[in-house]
Amino acid sequence: PPSLNINIRDLENKVVAGSVYLDGKPLFSIAATRATLSERLQNIQDNLTYISKAYLQKSEEKIDIEIRTENGSPVIYINQRYLLTVTQEDAKLRALNPETSALIIKQELLEGLQQAKYERTPEYTKEQAKNSAIILAIMVVTSGGVLYYSRFAKKHSQETTLTPAQEAYRPITTLLDKQRKGHIKEVKRRFVQLAQAGIWVGGSAFILSLFPYTRAIQVGIIAFLKIPLRLGIVALVIYVAVRLSYALIERLTSAFVQSSTLLTPETSERLQLRVSTISGVAKSIVTFLWLG
């Protein structure tokens, strides 16, 4: 339909912003239509990568950033190499005129390239290597502490063993309490696993961010894990909610049973079947609701 074509055209012509990166860190922002932003970003990124390599690999070369006016627009050159043309969209992004926007981009480029140069010095590398060792030690100690806590809690939450007589006449409330503790224990186990993953993945990503050579790897990992991480968090929240709901159902069912007539060996088996059926139906409904 014509209206659909108009909407698609308007969406493609909408001005959006994006960032140009150096060593995995955002350096400055540019703007363009949604249809052309990706190509423009890639061109500027390629130009900056070529220019920065030539500058960073020569220890004595100075940085010379020049703003020229071509066809009425400011154009930025670095060491006589073309980088980008500052457009009206770039200026609107900063609520300034193109000339002032070019000066701001020039300053951001100067500071970013000088910082990149410094991060490749032996002094910076040694300092970050020390920081990495400290962070790694903290990761090991924290991970060990979490592991020790989980084992300590598991050791002190061992269930009491039932005698043969108790096993024969096991009340339904004992079964419900055992199931409830099992659900809570499972939630704790998942949180321990999540804590361990967070310690090692988060710590490793932070170490990668300390060095200019590995910072791009960190950015790539974060970008790759962005959607899976969101889905994983949703799945974890649903899983924990379902388990805790199960524990609540067991608790309420146990309270209901205890408030009824005293259990006898004759009534225990019949009541167990009824309660198991009702509890199973309630769990199915809760699971369906949480998944929905």
Side-chain angles (χ1 to χ4, degrees):
S3 60
L4 181 60
N5 293 331
I6 293 174
N7 290 335
I8 294 176
R9 194 179 305 113
D10 291 341
L11 185 63
E12 291 179 347
N13 292 332
K14 182 180 180 180
V15 177
V16 292
S19 296
V20 178
Y21 287 79
L22 178 63
D23 288 340
K25 294 191 297 186
L27 195 57
F28 60 90
S29 299
I30 63 167
T33 61
R34 188 183 297 274
T36 60
L37 178 66
S38 179
E39 182 179 0
R40 186 175 183 229
L41 268 176
Q42 189 60 52
N43 290 335
I44 297 174
Q45 194 70 63
D46 291 341
N47 293 339
L48 181 61
T49 300
Y50 175 76
I51 294 170
S52 61
K53 282 184 178 180
Y55 167 67
L56 297 173
Q57 290 176 356
K58 297 179 181 179
S59 58
E60 296 182 355
E61 184 177 355
K62 295 183 179 180
I63 189 73
D64 180 24
I65 303 177
E66 182 183 1
I67 300 176
R68 305 176 186 175
T69 301
E70 298 178 1
N71 298 323
S73 299
V75 181
I76 298 179
Y77 286 82
I78 301 179
N79 292 339
Q80 304 303 317
R81 298 182 179 92
Y82 172 80
L83 178 64
L84 81 154
T85 300
V86 180
T87 64
Q88 291 291 339
E89 287 80 9
D90 298 332
K92 291 180 181 178
L93 180 64
R94 297 170 175 80
L96 300 169
N97 57 56
E99 290 73 19
T100 306
S101 298
L103 290 174
I104 293 175
I105 295 176
K106 175 182 177 180
Q107 185 62 29
E108 292 170 339
L109 282 166
L110 182 61
E111 293 175 357
L113 288 168
Q114 289 176 344
Q115 179 66 23
K117 191 84 164 181
Y118 168 70
E119 289 181 356
R120 285 163 172 77
T121 60
E123 295 80 9
Y124 179 86
T125 302
K126 290 179 181 178
E127 183 66 24
Q128 296 303 73
K130 293 178 182 178
N131 293 335
S132 299
I134 294 172
I135 294 170
L136 184 59
I138 294 174
M139 290 165 57
V140 172
V141 172
T142 307
S143 177
V146 171
L147 185 61
Y148 174 79
Y149 170 78
S150 64
R151 291 180 177 177
F152 178 82
K154 183 178 180 181
K155 182 179 179 181
H156 286 73
S157 64
Q158 295 293 333
E159 299 177 3
T160 57
T161 305
L162 300 177
T163 64
Q166 289 174 323
E167 187 71 27
Y169 299 99
R170 179 187 296 186
I172 186 62
T173 53
T174 304
L175 289 174
L176 293 172
D177 187 60
K178 180 180 179 181
Q179 292 175 357
R180 180 180 61 83
K181 290 180 179 178
H183 294 311
I184 295 176
K185 186 185 298 183
E186 184 67 18
V187 170
K188 291 181 179 179
R189 188 168 71 90
R190 296 303 179 188
F191 274 119
V192 169
Q193 292 175 347
L194 180 64
Q196 292 284 18
I199 290 169
W200 289 101
V201 175
S204 300
F206 188 79
I207 291 175
L208 289 175
S209 70
L210 297 178
F211 301 94
Y213 307 103
T214 58
R215 197 174 293 128
I217 299 176
Q218 178 224 26
V219 174
I221 292 175
I222 293 175
F224 177 77
L225 294 178
K226 191 174 183 179
I227 294 179
L229 184 61
R230 290 180 179 178
L231 295 177
I233 291 174
V234 172
L236 178 65
V237 170
I238 293 174
Y239 178 82
V240 171
V242 169
R243 284 287 184 174
L244 292 179
S245 299
Y246 286 0
L248 180 61
I249 291 172
E250 307 290 1
R251 184 66 177 269
L252 294 176
T253 307
S254 178
F256 170 76
V257 171
Q258 289 176 349
S259 65
S260 62
T261 59
L262 295 176
L263 293 175
T264 65
E266 291 76 15
T267 62
S268 179
E269 185 175 353
R270 293 197 303 271
L271 185 58
Q272 177 176 338
L273 291 175
R274 292 176 182 176
V275 169
S276 298
T277 302
I278 296 173
S279 177
V281 172
K283 290 177 183 177
S284 298
I285 294 174
V286 166
T287 302
F288 177 77
L289 289 175
W290 278 118
L291 289 176

